[in-house]
Amino acid sequence: MAEGKKRIIVAEPIPEAELSQDDAIPAVEIEEQPECVPETETGSAYREESAVAAIATAELFKKCILPDKTELQERILKTKNDILVGDHCDIDYGLYGNDIVICEFCKLTGDVVAEGDLRIDNFCEISGTVICNGDAYLGEGVKVHGKLTVGGNLDIGDNVFIEKEFKAFGDISIRNPMPVILYLLLYVMTMLHLDNEAEVEKTVNAMISEANSEPLVLPPRTTMDLRYFSVSTPMEVGSSSRLHGNIKAKSLVLHNDVTLFGGVHAVRRVKVGERTAVHGDVIGHSVRIERGADILGDVSGEKVWLHEDALVSGIIRSPGGLTIGRFEEKKG
């Protein structure tokens, strides 16, 4: 641990019925939740809240988003924005971002560096070093095989394993932090007094659109290794990004001035933006390649739209027809 005096707080789980106003967690204001009622009356309410939580969670992770100027280097996925990682992801890279949230049962091979706060959910495993300049939250069963350095407070759960030394420059609280998704959803629903699916979905969209910067979002069960970056959802890559590796997604939009050192394979639509370079093949059901794009490989799609000022080095296969255009896609 870092040198100097530290205040260490050991907190055992407290039965919900015994929580007083002073004991409740301020961030989610548990004391404002409805009073306890017999179990027979809470069953349906619990199921309804679970359904709302499922809707809101799906809304958060409905698309893989890499914001502008994202870099996927040989060993690290890097952005200046926040990073949100869904559950059960298997990532053979490190992460570098502002605030970083990693949901449960994720495995990361590289280092995790958060310029802001860091939250790692239950039973995640980090093979590298973890560095956080803000506050850090480690859930139950988290394993860190490298060093852990926390610039602020450390909130740590049971059975956390840190193979090498750790330093925390703030208070250390030993207890079980609530799961990441539950924490986020309770915060939204409690602070804004939301109680139905439509309100939750609307609020989540508003929070994302009104944010100063769009977060980097990796949906649940994302896999990333030296061969493939694979997701089961649509993917959107922001302008001026630079990525290494092949991409597999339901659909893919590469915005302007992106450089991809790899190929693209999408089940549905692929759009390659202006002045974007793809060093590999482009495969999709329908493919659109904008002005100034450069494809250093083959292009395959049922239908292909190719701007007259775009370049394709390989073969174009389009059973449904190839269109050579000169107008950009209409916006609106």
Side-chain angles (χ1 to χ4, degrees):
M1 276 198 233
E3 297 181 357
K5 295 182 178 179
K6 296 201 182 327
R7 183 161 59 96
I8 301 179
I9 306 167
V10 180
E12 295 296 334
I14 303 174
E16 185 176 354
E18 298 180 9
L19 280 175
S20 66
Q21 185 171 356
D22 294 332
D23 294 327
I25 301 172
V28 295
E29 298 188 357
I30 292 179
E31 68 276 12
E32 292 187 12
Q33 298 296 321
E35 295 182 357
C36 294
V37 293
E39 185 175 353
T40 55
E41 299 180 18
T42 59
S44 60
Y46 176 79
R47 288 193 294 271
E48 182 178 351
E49 286 188 4
S50 298
V52 173
I55 292 294
T57 304
E59 190 67 23
L60 285 171
F61 293 109
K62 68 179 181 180
K63 182 189 297 185
C64 178
I65 301 174
L66 305 185
D68 295 348
K69 299 182 180 179
T70 296
E71 295 183 15
L72 177 56
Q73 303 170 355
E74 291 184 0
R75 294 298 177 186
I76 192 166
L77 178 61
K78 184 176 181 179
T79 179
K80 294 181 179 180
N81 301 1
D82 297 340
I83 298 178
L84 181 60
V85 180
D87 58 87
H88 293 87
C89 291
D90 192 352
I91 302 174
D92 287 346
Y93 291 85
L95 298 177
Y96 182 101
N98 187 30
D99 291 346
I100 299 179
V101 175
I102 302 173
C103 295
E104 60 185 5
F105 295 104
C106 289
K107 292 183 179 180
L108 286 84
T109 299
D111 300 336
V112 177
V113 181
E115 292 291 345
D117 294 340
L118 171 67
R119 190 173 188 98
I120 302 177
D121 208 353
N122 300 337
F123 306 109
C124 290
E125 185 172 358
I126 314 295
S127 296
T129 294
V130 176
I131 300 174
C132 171
N133 289 331
D135 296 334
Y137 308 85
L138 275 62
E140 181 182 357
V142 169
K143 294 181 180 180
V144 177
H145 295 285
K147 297 180 180 180
L148 172 66
T149 302
V150 180
N153 299 325
L154 174 61
D155 197 354
I156 192 168
D158 293 334
N159 300 316
V160 172
F161 172 78
I162 300 173
E163 185 171 338
K164 300 183 179 179
E165 67 179 20
F166 77 91
K167 297 179 180 179
F169 295 91
D171 294 340
I172 301 176
S173 298
I174 303 175
R175 57 180 178 178
N176 281 323
M178 70 172 58
V180 168
I181 292 299
L182 179 59
Y183 175 87
L184 294 174
L185 293 176
L186 280 178
Y187 180 83
V188 171
M189 290 188 287
T190 302
M191 293 301 177
L192 301 178
H193 305 287
L194 304 179
D195 56 5
N196 62 66
E197 298 176 4
E199 288 181 343
V200 171
E201 183 173 349
K202 181 179 178 181
T203 302
V204 169
N205 285 331
M207 291 173 62
I208 293 175
S209 63
E210 292 175 3
N212 293 330
S213 57
E214 189 174 38
L216 188 155
V217 179
L218 300 180
R221 301 190 182 277
T222 294
T223 58
M224 295 175 61
D225 54 34
L226 296 179
R227 294 184 59 201
Y228 290 104
F229 183 163
S230 179
V231 299
S232 60
T233 65
M235 179 186 291
E236 186 172 345
V237 179
S239 300
S240 303
S241 295
R242 187 178 178 88
L243 313 176
H244 289 76
N246 301 300
I247 293 178
K248 288 184 177 181
K250 181 179 291 186
S251 62
L252 176 65
V253 175
L254 299 174
H255 285 285
N256 301 340
D257 302 299
V258 173
T259 301
L260 173 62
F261 294 97
V264 170
H265 190 170
V267 177
R268 298 178 182 174
R269 181 173 182 258
V270 176
K271 179 184 176 182
V272 180
E274 297 180 9
R275 301 175 302 279
T276 287
V278 178
H279 295 251
D281 298 338
V282 176
I283 302 172
H285 183 266
S286 64
V287 178
R288 184 180 181 93
I289 303 174
E290 298 289 354
R291 180 180 61 184
D294 190 1
I295 311 299
L296 286 81
D298 299 340
V299 175
S300 299
E302 181 64 26
K303 293 183 179 180
V304 175
W305 189 97
L306 179 68
H307 194 281
E308 61 181 1
D309 292 331
L311 297 176
V312 176
S313 300
I315 299 171
I316 300 177
R317 300 180 179 89
S318 181
L322 169 63
T323 302
I324 306 294
R326 62 176 60 183
F327 301 106
E328 283 71 30
E329 188 174 25
K330 293 182 180 179
K331 298 180 180 180

